[in-house]
Amino acid sequence: MVDLVHDRFVVVPSSHDLVLKWAEAMVAARRNGRRIETADAWIAATALLYDAPLLTHNKADDLGVPGLQFT
């Protein structure tokens, strides 16, 4: 069962570039007066780093992060 689920997703390893994007997302959200949870910032940073649209049911979580594309 785990293989069926795992095979449907891409696992993105942490990297120096991703950590920098995460820090930028955290700072940008705070500068924009928006609180962002750590996990939401990781997700936003990953989308930004890979230039991928962010699919979410709660866009408000990431509105303080500039440059995000939402689907």
Side-chain angles (χ1 to χ4, degrees):
M1 176 72 169
V2 172
D3 288 336
L4 288 172
V5 173
H6 184 268
D7 291 344
R8 296 176 55 201
F9 297 93
V10 174
V11 176
V12 178
S14 183
S15 68
H16 182 73
D17 291 337
L18 182 55
V19 171
L20 292 177
K21 282 290 181 195
W22 172 81
E24 290 171 10
M26 293 291 288
V27 169
R30 288 182 183 152
R31 277 195 189 133
N32 289 322
R34 310 275 312 187
R35 185 174 182 275
I36 188 168
E37 296 292 334
T38 302
D40 291 324
W42 277 115
I43 294 165
T46 303
L48 288 169
L49 183 65
Y50 289 94
D51 196 28
L54 182 59
L55 178 62
T56 180
H57 290 300
N58 195 356
K59 205 186 222 186
D61 288 344
D62 300 293
L63 286 178
V65 182
L68 279 177
Q69 305 165 44
F70 294 96
T71 297

